[in-house]
Amino acid sequence: MPLMKSWVASANDANHPFPLNNLPYGVFSTDGTEERCGVAIGDMILDMAAAEETGLITISEIAVFDAPYWNEFMDLGSDAWAELRARLIEVLKEGSADQAKAEPLLVAMADAEMHMPLVVPEYTDFYAGRHHATNVGTMFRGAENALPPNWLHIPIGYNGRASSVIVSGTDVRRPWGQLKSPDHDIPAFLPCRRFDIELEMGAIVGTSSDGPITVQEADDNIFGYVLLNDWSARDIQAWEYQPLGPFQAKATATSISPWIVTKDALEPFRTDTPEREFELLDHIKDCGPMLYDIDLEVTMAPDGKDATTIARTNYNEMYYSAAQQLAHHTTAGSPMNVGDLLGSGTISGPEKENRGSLLELSWGGKEPMTLETGETRSFIEDGDTLILKGNAKGDGYTIGFGDCVGTVIAALDDPYKR
Ligand code: CA
């Protein structure tokens, strides 16, 4: 599919992240106004609350866009999702009869503040990148035992905290926790020394379910995708993780990009999962291409200095698709709700420069990276800004996600001081 042209001129640039082909959904506010739903088109945001109020866009009898989340719209179901996309294209395409009515409802993105685009009832994080799992497993257990025996049969995950999911641009404070160094017999309570990122994609459940669903049903139920940075305290994790997995190591923050890129926008970029070493059991077997060809990148900038690209990889490196993860998630009967967020797991590729965490990039701190500023890093230092970027490259257009940004600020002197 080629670039669809819009009367919003900035949307027609081949490298702009928000052409008419994309139309991602966010929540924004401008000075002194309420948070409401908006759709990105070029450098502008279409104010969906205003579009609904003026009758330009009507999808349901009750107003769903004058709200600080997209959950009510998602809950209308996939027919409504298709109807809105079709109507937005009609309104925003070159030569649209609605241009005069829509033009006053555009807000410059530069004047807008972005907020969480949805309410996240529950957040689950997976561990479905083979290169990442192999790298981490090799560091912790040796190359022979890198992948746990279950890994090639089920997408491993754990239930995370929805309450600490935050929107891009929110600072992240370095956590305190129990750390135990190999030289000591007992742990100490200290600020984290090995604070890290995890480059992930987040899948958003748009249709609720109650009981086991198939992989195809799971794919149908996914509304869209965001970039996701699952901030991780490696030293807290190393002490706490056996036998129940990460807990406080992953409880500080999970940042997501502000725009939900819909499954429809990503349709031309579907790819297959890699070849299987073991045939998957029927309930999570592939039934079509359900991964996406999305180029991913991480930059790191020390306080007040230029950014260095520290990793480049692609979402198609995953072993399991989000649809397989969602299907697996429901196997034992767990209901899924509109807005539930599924982290893919860290997305690393085969080469060193493809690694999606500092733990891997610095090989557990043994091989510090050198930034373009000349500084070295094994893990994140206070004041460092980490940015995740994602782009799918089409025929003369780009489907971008909008940056997922987070700056790490110093730990409190005393986290229990009131
Ligand atoms: Ca993770």
Side-chain angles (χ1 to χ4, degrees):
M1 179 194 287
L3 170 79
M4 294 192 282
K5 283 206 161 179
S6 170
W7 51 263
V8 180
S10 55
N12 298 328
D13 182 319
N15 295 314
H16 199 293
F18 306 129
L20 188 58
N21 304 57
N22 193 348
L23 299 175
Y25 302 151
V27 167
F28 76 103
S29 66
T30 47
D31 256 354
T33 61
E34 287 191 353
E35 297 175 20
R36 56 205 187 273
C37 293
V39 176
I41 178 74
D43 294 337
M44 310 299 282
I45 299 172
L46 178 65
D47 182 335
M48 289 299 294
E52 192 172 49
E53 202 188 322
T54 58
L56 179 67
I57 292 174
T58 309
I59 300 296
S60 84
E61 283 170 17
I62 44 156
V64 291
F65 299 121
D66 190 11
Y69 41 75
W70 279 80
N71 298 58
E72 280 181 24
F73 170 72
M74 289 192 261
D75 206 18
L76 296 175
S78 55
D79 287 349
W81 307 349
E83 192 187 329
L84 176 60
R85 184 170 171 85
R87 179 64 185 142
L88 285 168
I89 291 170
E90 190 177 48
V91 168
L92 294 167
K93 73 181 181 195
E94 202 173 56
S96 169
D98 296 305
Q99 179 175 347
K101 277 187 227 153
E103 224 159 1
L105 310 183
L106 294 179
V107 173
M109 208 173 273
D111 297 335
E113 184 183 348
M114 299 307 298
H115 306 276
M116 276 289 290
L118 76 166
V119 173
V120 178
E122 299 202 63
Y123 163 53
T124 308
D125 194 26
F126 286 88
Y127 187 58
R130 185 168 186 170
H131 300 289
H132 171 72
T134 304
N135 286 337
V136 173
T138 301
M139 273 183 263
F140 289 178
R141 291 182 294 274
E144 297 295 298
N145 304 307
L147 279 187
N150 53 8
W151 201 93
L152 294 166
H153 301 277
I154 49 171
I156 298 175
Y158 67 94
N159 290 303
R161 291 292 300 175
S163 59
S164 54
V165 178
I166 55 176
V167 72
S168 167
T170 312
D171 288 345
V172 177
R173 190 177 288 285
R174 181 181 300 274
W176 285 66
Q178 278 206 10
L179 319 180
K180 190 190 138 336
S181 79
D183 320 331
H184 292 88
D185 292 333
I186 58 167
F189 188 68
L190 292 166
C192 169
R193 291 166 178 172
R194 296 184 148 217
F195 204 50
D196 199 356
I197 56 158
E198 289 192 332
L199 167 59
E200 304 191 25
M201 296 289 300
I204 292 163
V205 175
T207 301
S208 59
S209 59
D210 187 1
I213 59 174
T214 65
V215 174
Q216 184 59 58
E217 288 167 335
D219 192 62
D220 293 343
N221 286 1
I222 292 172
F223 179 72
Y225 291 83
V226 290
L227 300 174
L228 185 149
N229 182 354
D230 190 35
W231 301 91
S232 299
R234 300 298 179 194
D235 39 10
I236 296 174
Q237 189 175 354
W239 171 236
E240 73 174 1
Y241 89 104
Q242 288 179 315
L244 290 185
F247 187 49
Q248 294 309 294
K250 307 279 190 173
T252 301
T254 300
S255 300
I256 62 169
S257 50
W259 295 104
I260 303 170
V261 175
T262 63
K263 204 170 49 184
D264 279 344
L266 292 171
E267 204 53 40
F269 305 97
R270 280 184 184 264
T271 58
D272 287 310
T273 46
E275 227 167 275
R276 302 298 173 189
E277 207 164 302
F278 296 97
E279 196 179 344
L280 293 171
L281 296 181
D282 284 345
H283 68 115
I284 49 167
K285 196 173 277 183
D286 292 278
C287 59
M290 290 179 183
L291 277 180
Y292 297 95
D293 179 5
I294 301 168
D295 290 325
L296 301 168
E297 188 181 316
V298 182
T299 69
M300 179 183 228
D303 196 2
K305 296 189 179 155
D306 288 344
T308 300
T309 299
I310 58 171
R312 281 181 220 275
T313 181
N314 192 293
Y315 183 45
N316 64 17
E317 294 287 354
M318 300 310 287
Y319 195 75
Y320 297 101
S321 64
Q324 287 171 309
Q325 292 173 327
L326 176 54
H328 175 61
H329 206 318
T330 65
T331 311
S334 174
M336 300 300 295
N337 294 307
V338 172
D340 281 351
L341 176 66
L342 273 57
S344 60
T346 308
I347 306 165
S348 295
E351 306 300 331
K352 184 165 182 177
E353 63 266 24
N354 308 140
R355 295 173 184 168
S357 69
L358 300 185
L359 177 70
E360 295 163 88
L361 286 163
S362 74
W363 206 251
K366 291 197 180 92
E367 301 167 15
M369 302 177 293
T370 303
L371 304 179
E372 280 164 22
T373 58
E375 286 151 278
T376 58
R377 286 287 186 283
S378 289
F379 294 94
I380 300 169
E381 310 227 336
D382 294 342
D384 287 349
T385 296
L386 281 299
I387 304 181
L388 275 46
K389 300 165 192 270
N391 289 300
K393 280 287 180 192
D395 176 14
Y397 70 97
T398 302
I399 299 291
F401 280 75
D403 292 352
C404 180
V405 185
T407 299
V408 172
I409 56 175
L412 295 169
D413 290 338
D414 175 358
Y416 292 101
K417 192 173 167 197
R418 297 286 181 268

